[in-house]
Amino acid sequence: MKKILTALLAVCLVLSMAACGGGNNNSTPAPAPDANPSTPASEPAPSGEKIAINVIAAEYGQNTKDWWAKFQDEFNKANTGIDLTVEVVSWNDIYTVVNTRITGNAAPDILNIDVFADYQADGLLLPAKDYVSEATYNKMYPAFLEQSVVDGTVWAVPDLASARAMYYNVDILKAAGVEVPKTWDELKAACEKIKAYDANIYPWGIDMTTDEGQAAFAYYIWNNGGDFTDASGNWTLNSDKNVEAIEYAIDLVKSGLTNSDPANDTRYNLQDMFGAGKVAMMIGPNSIPTYIKDGGSTINYAFAPIPTNGGNASVSAGVMDRFMCFDNNHSPEKIEAIKTFFDYFYDDARYSDWVLMEGFLPATSAGGEIVAKADASMAPWVEIVGSCKFYPTAKAEWADVKQGVINVEQQALLGGNVKELLDNLQKQIAG
Amino acid sequence: MNKKFYRQIEPYIWIAPSVILMAIFIVLPIFSVFERAMNKVTRAGKLQGFNNFENFTKVVNDPAFGLVLKNTIVWTIAVVVISTVLGFCLALVLNNNFKGRKIVRAIVVFPWATTLVIQASVWNFIINTDYGTLNTLLLKLGIIKQAVNWTSTPEAYFAWEIACGIFVTIPFVTFCVLSGLQSIDTSYYEAATVDGANYWQKLRSLTLPLVRPSLTVSTVLNIIYVFNSFPIIWTMTKGDPANHTDTLVTYLYKLAFYNGKQGEAAAVSVIGFIILLICASTYMIYTLRKGDDT
């Protein structure tokens, strides 16, 4: 009797597992018509029923949730036929949340995140022109839109950006008798002077951590005339200029002119040390003033273009986030509703409010003008952001390249040969 | 008949909820990880069919994997062995009667009761070159003249992580052994004393065999916990520089959530699962059989 019961229980168990497992992990995507039952493919929504739009948005800071809550209320009041829901998710969880939703065939209609190429590669996205009205589309900086192009089509639209510059401690540089460096030679000389002035100060801050080591890579190669790719988009990770640039950065570390542990000191550690007067110069984003002020620091600092080599013009690194629209078999009415959402969001006044909320930079020219007027300290940044370079995030290999260059930097810190390491990476990425 | 049937089925009804919960939260995820490990998985998380164990071959051929595996073994053995030895000694001490024993026992629990992330952050704060309390203390005491970089090499950093791992593992061992020690009848020791056994003889021939069941439990659980431990290494170094302080768990986390290679991450997870299964079951079979022999 016991045996029979045990067997029965085991069968129940296996069945319950099978029942749960089946819906979750089909190895082939479910047929399209079932993909999103809440949005009928061709039938218009019955009159009187609201069109539901769900948005997943990244949480940029403490104000993001409140901002979106207010936005949702106002939007739903202004557009009675649409029922907008915005779910704000922290950066730590957003990739997992989105991937789980996609796996469960419940992708959001609109997503606000940094990357898009992986979703595009899986054929999950709609072209930007399909869901953004022409008037709104034309507001965006063309240089920004180009960052979301795959196969000649723009797949995502920029929501905001941040840019980088060199911050320096005015008092330390003055006391050490150093001018603000503009070239790499001047930078190294300045670092040596600062070190001679006070051995307890780190003249230069470098972050080569898993967190953001790719940024350091970009700062040095771009300001040495190198790049991740050539003009036609082929990877050029091991170009001579890139090798020279990374060797220069590693040499600064090896000469003892930087923070002692670049593989573990994140940008936030560096910002803390900069705020405490322990680091004299570092490259950082436009949000540093807010960060330093919130940290209670009173140091006297300023910012300048990132030093360059070989007579190249200084290049700032831009980071850009995006909106994208998932292809959930939307009805024409729903597409119109989504267009309304974007028109509402990119309304000049509302958009500049969005950008200023967390101290970011605008991705539209009209927004730029308003932001520059509203906050004088942002004006030089608005100028910088119009001309900065971006990571090649539109390329499918970017995630591998990003981890690859961080690995190269860390191997080089441990004594590896930069040229060999970059040759290997290039071979691995480009085949 | 009905009553008899009910009585027989009753225990199964009672345990059914926990069996179902375990099936949903333990068996299903394991099944899902195996499925992912065998499939090609896109970065967005879609499964695209069986790919001939490519995830496994890719992982094994990655030069970093050997290093990570070595780190994992060093990490697990060092933490488990050292914390077991120290925990055992501490339990012996705490088993004696002395004034303030209760307070000492409470203090021993502290490292165990604190979140690992907090523990690791505190250790990081202690050993930091620039603002660490260890340097500050040594400078104040005049033992060193200049701040020392305690983590100048990846190996040094890894050693600190192991130290932190040992520190947080000792309480668990101590309390397992202590519970074993307290269940030993004192008459054994009295008899041994009458027979003229010294302290070491009693320790070797009485205490050790009698606490073996407790030690087995603590060691098997520790092997599993420590092998799978994520927070200490992640908080202190994130496996940097260049995988030199990675263990399998931090490595697979990076693969899945930084590199977007969920299939390969699942493969690493499966490899870890198999290693653990072999280690833990070998150890258990070995010690339990030895226990039966004696």
Side-chain angles (χ1 to χ4, degrees):
Chain A
M1 187 66 195
K2 250 183 192 166
K3 272 185 188 164
I4 299 174
L5 279 175
T6 319
L8 202 74
L9 199 71
V11 172
C12 288
L13 192 75
V14 172
L15 281 179
S16 72
M17 273 168 58
C20 296
N24 195 9
N25 283 314
N26 282 337
S27 50
T28 48
D34 293 336
N36 195 340
S38 65
T39 51
S42 51
E43 291 167 39
S47 58
E49 199 174 294
K50 288 185 174 187
I51 299 175
I53 303 180
N54 66 80
V55 180
I56 292 185
E59 188 173 11
Y60 288 102
Q62 294 139 346
N63 307 322
T64 316
K65 257 191 184 142
D66 291 343
W67 193 91
W68 276 115
K70 193 169 142 247
F71 179 92
Q72 184 182 308
D73 278 353
E74 287 174 3
F75 181 86
N76 283 335
K77 263 181 211 148
N79 301 279
T80 46
I82 305 173
D83 181 18
L84 174 77
T85 338
V86 183
E87 193 185 330
V88 179
V89 184
S90 85
W91 280 112
N92 285 336
D93 304 325
I94 194 162
Y95 304 100
T96 324
V97 168
V98 172
N99 281 0
T100 313
R101 294 272 293 262
I102 291 171
T103 320
N105 287 321
D109 296 322
I110 297 167
L111 174 64
N112 165 218
I113 206 170
D114 51 351
V115 291
F116 78 101
D118 299 336
Y119 308 125
Q120 194 277 331
D122 278 359
L124 300 169
L125 300 183
L126 286 174
K129 284 202 164 167
D130 288 8
Y131 58 87
V132 180
S133 71
E134 206 174 329
T136 298
Y137 189 86
N138 291 337
K139 283 181 184 176
M140 324 242 170
Y141 287 126
F144 280 38
L145 287 170
E146 275 165 30
Q147 304 308 316
S148 306
V149 173
V150 175
D151 300 334
T153 309
V154 178
W155 297 92
V157 288
D159 73 312
L160 50 73
S162 77
R164 304 285 160 98
M166 180 182 74
Y167 285 83
Y168 59 93
N169 187 313
V170 178
D171 294 339
I172 295 177
L173 262 64
K174 209 167 156 192
V178 174
E179 291 286 312
V180 178
K182 289 192 176 64
T183 67
W184 283 5
D185 293 339
E186 286 174 21
L187 175 64
K188 195 168 179 194
C191 287
E192 278 159 357
K193 269 193 182 168
I194 293 169
K195 201 176 176 193
Y197 158 70
D198 185 346
N200 284 321
I201 293 174
Y202 296 130
W204 184 244
I206 289 191
D207 161 12
M208 292 180 166
T209 63
T210 296
D211 270 1
E212 220 195 8
Q214 80 280 5
F217 191 86
Y219 302 149
Y220 295 96
I221 63 164
W222 284 341
N223 284 295
N224 193 35
D227 206 342
F228 289 96
T229 60
D230 61 16
S232 40
N234 302 312
W235 293 106
T236 53
L237 300 168
N238 59 343
S239 71
D240 292 344
K241 291 203 161 153
N242 291 4
V243 174
E244 186 191 6
I246 300 311
E247 278 173 348
Y248 173 79
I250 297 292
D251 174 59
L252 288 179
V253 180
K254 294 269 158 82
S255 314
L257 302 174
T258 67
N259 43 312
S260 56
D261 194 359
N264 280 296
D265 294 331
T266 65
R267 177 155 60 76
Y268 297 97
N269 296 137
L270 291 178
Q271 287 175 191
D272 288 336
M273 288 199 270
F274 183 73
K278 177 94 187 147
V279 165
M281 301 179 277
M282 68 174 286
I283 301 172
N286 51 292
S287 57
I288 280 195
T290 326
Y291 187 89
I292 286 180
K293 210 170 93 193
D294 291 349
S297 168
T298 50
I299 57 158
N300 178 16
Y301 66 96
F303 66 87
I306 299 172
T308 70
N309 191 35
N312 289 296
S314 177
V315 178
S316 171
V319 177
M320 185 185 81
D321 294 337
R322 307 166 157 92
F323 277 113
M324 58 213 73
C325 181
F326 279 81
D327 185 5
N328 294 341
N329 293 306
H330 302 302
S331 62
E333 288 81 9
K334 187 153 179 188
I335 290 287
E336 282 311 309
I338 291 173
K339 280 187 181 173
T340 314
F341 167 83
F342 282 112
D343 290 343
Y344 197 80
F345 179 87
Y346 284 100
D347 167 72
D348 292 344
R350 195 168 293 111
Y351 179 68
S352 49
D353 182 47
W354 155 258
V355 170
L356 286 171
M357 164 194 60
E358 303 275 15
F360 281 100
L361 298 172
T364 69
S365 36
E369 282 164 25
I370 297 179
V371 168
K373 249 187 226 159
D375 186 346
S377 68
M378 294 283 260
W381 285 106
V382 172
E383 217 163 282
I384 290 175
V385 81
S387 65
C388 58
K389 269 198 178 186
F390 294 93
Y391 302 132
T393 45
K395 292 183 76 71
E397 300 91 354
W398 169 243
D400 290 334
V401 171
K402 180 175 149 191
Q403 292 306 314
V405 296
I406 295 171
N407 193 48
V408 165
E409 288 170 340
Q410 296 188 350
Q411 298 273 15
L413 285 174
L414 294 172
N417 180 310
V418 176
K419 170 97 179 105
E420 280 172 22
L421 290 165
L422 282 176
D423 282 348
N424 285 341
L425 181 64
Q426 171 75 17
K427 210 159 88 189
Q428 196 188 319
I429 300 292
Chain B
M1 170 64 200
N2 250 354
K3 210 171 179 187
K4 199 180 160 208
F5 177 72
Y6 175 73
R7 212 169 268 161
Q8 271 174 338
I9 206 173
E10 196 188 0
Y12 298 98
I13 297 175
W14 285 112
I15 61 164
S18 54
V19 170
I20 292 170
L21 276 180
M22 268 162 61
I24 293 173
F25 292 106
I26 299 174
V27 182
L28 259 185
I30 292 177
F31 171 75
S32 165
V33 164
F34 272 83
E35 189 189 22
R36 246 153 226 275
M38 308 290 179
N39 274 269
K40 182 177 173 16
V41 187
T42 69
R43 285 186 193 282
K46 290 227 170 229
L47 301 188
Q48 293 188 328
F50 179 68
N51 66 346
N52 207 13
F53 298 103
E54 208 177 284
N55 292 329
F56 289 92
T57 46
K58 266 193 194 156
V59 164
V60 175
N61 289 332
D62 184 347
F65 183 72
L67 179 67
V68 172
L69 198 60
K70 193 195 94 197
N71 285 345
T72 314
I73 294 168
V74 171
W75 159 257
T76 312
I77 292 179
V79 173
V80 173
V81 170
I82 300 176
S83 63
T84 303
V85 171
L86 293 180
F88 183 77
C89 297
L90 197 58
L92 287 179
V93 172
L94 289 181
N95 198 35
N96 296 325
N97 256 327
F98 59 89
K99 223 179 167 186
R101 182 168 76 152
K102 281 189 178 159
I103 297 173
V104 176
R105 281 191 187 176
I107 291 172
V108 172
V109 185
F110 281 159
W112 194 18
T114 322
T115 321
L116 287 180
V117 176
I118 304 286
Q119 289 273 358
S121 308
V122 169
W123 276 74
N124 240 356
F125 183 65
I126 292 172
I127 60 173
N128 188 285
T129 317
D130 305 305
Y131 48 81
T133 45
L134 182 60
N135 271 339
T136 316
L137 183 73
L138 295 178
L139 281 170
K140 283 254 161 81
L141 291 176
I143 296 171
I144 52 172
K145 290 260 150 27
Q146 218 179 353
V148 177
N149 185 357
W150 298 105
T151 53
S152 52
T153 61
E155 290 76 20
Y157 228 135
F158 198 51
W160 282 108
E161 287 172 335
I162 290 175
C164 177
I166 293 168
F167 183 71
V168 300
T169 313
I170 286 177
F172 177 66
V173 181
T174 307
F175 280 88
C176 275
V177 175
L178 201 54
S179 70
L181 285 175
Q182 288 186 336
S183 64
I184 301 176
D185 198 329
T186 45
S187 60
Y188 292 139
Y189 291 103
E190 283 158 14
T193 316
V194 171
D195 287 345
N198 64 21
Y199 179 79
W200 297 109
Q201 284 171 322
K202 278 190 265 183
L203 181 69
R204 217 184 57 225
S205 312
L206 271 180
T207 315
L208 269 178
L210 288 171
V211 293
R212 184 186 283 145
S214 314
L215 266 180
T216 307
V217 169
S218 82
T219 310
V220 170
L221 288 180
N222 266 338
I223 290 174
I224 298 169
Y225 289 155
V226 174
F227 187 94
N228 281 332
S229 176
F230 176 79
I232 295 175
I233 290 176
W234 192 254
T235 311
M236 288 178 79
T237 58
K238 284 202 164 82
D240 289 340
N243 304 108
H244 277 66
T245 59
D246 259 327
T247 63
L248 282 181
V249 179
T250 53
Y251 179 65
L252 79 86
Y253 184 85
K254 272 197 263 188
L255 273 181
F257 300 109
Y258 280 65
N259 296 20
K261 294 175 178 166
Q262 297 183 30
E264 288 174 41
V268 175
S269 188
V270 167
I271 294 172
F273 179 77
I274 292 169
I275 294 175
L276 260 187
L277 203 65
I278 294 172
C279 289
S281 38
T282 315
Y283 182 81
M284 268 177 81
I285 291 167
Y286 175 74
T287 49
L288 292 180
R289 187 177 291 164
K290 216 173 162 191
D292 291 342
D293 292 345
T294 48

